[in-house]
Amino acid sequence: MDEGDILVQESWEVSPSDTTGQLFEKTSMRAGPLLIDAITGIQDKTITPEPQNAEEASYTQMIEKKDGELQTSWTTDEAYHRWQAYTPWPGLYTDFSGTKVTLLEIEKKENSGILGEWGIEGKLPAIQVADGLLIIKKIHPAGKKPMTGEEFVRGYMSK
């Protein structure tokens, strides 16, 4: 957690589907101009540092690679939010027939009837979790190029 004083701040719309990588990109677009505003404000003494409220702070642990391993006991919301948090690193990943696969783009579907861990929903691969499915729109098998879910079904699931 950063406990330093606030010099400048800005807010913008965050989409419910934004991933960590997308938020980094949005933030990086504003970081340069805000840094210039902060330096200029400090130099001309137009900025008054504002202490942060420590009671509103949130703490977290360091993210490790193993944190991105999908657990089928998670709910669709838990899995989706972890995908958002862990994309691009360490990524949300699992195993398909002995191959590590990273889920690059997913959507969730509550209360589905697929039995077993893996299945096909429409033309896309799906993974059963506690209360529904993760529909895989884009996937990256280890050692291969990223591919669409439909390409994965044709190349890996139809054998």
Side-chain angles (χ1 to χ4, degrees), residues 13-34:
E13 195 71 27
V14 174
S15 165
S17 63
D18 279 344
T19 64
T20 296
Q22 291 164 327
L23 292 176
F24 279 152
E25 188 174 316
K26 288 179 181 182
T27 302
S28 70
M29 299 298 290
R30 289 299 307 146
L34 283 176

Side-chain angles (χ1 to χ4, degrees), residues 71-84:
Q71 304 298 314
T72 56
S73 60
W74 293 341
T75 65
T76 54
D77 282 340
E78 286 175 309
Y80 188 80
H81 293 313
R82 288 176 192 241
W83 168 77
Q84 287 179 290

Side-chain angles (χ1 to χ4, degrees), residues 72-107:
T72 56
S73 60
W74 293 341
T75 65
T76 54
D77 282 340
E78 286 175 309
Y80 188 80
H81 293 313
R82 288 176 192 241
W83 168 77
Q84 287 179 290
Y86 299 147
T87 298
W89 191 90
L92 186 63
Y93 62 89
T94 191
D95 179 83
F96 179 81
S97 296
T99 299
K100 177 184 171 186
V101 292
T102 302
L103 311 181
L104 300 178
E105 188 177 335
I106 64 171
E107 63 184 41

Side-chain angles (χ1 to χ4, degrees), residues 112-124:
S112 183
I114 287 185
L115 300 175
E117 187 175 334
W118 283 86
I120 298 174
E121 181 74 15
K123 296 181 179 181
L124 297 174

Side-chain angles (χ1 to χ4, degrees), residues 6-8 37-42 44-49:
I6 299 170
L7 301 177
V8 293
D37 291 348
I39 292 170
T40 302
I42 290 169
D44 63 19
K45 298 183 184 347
T46 58
I47 287 181
T48 303

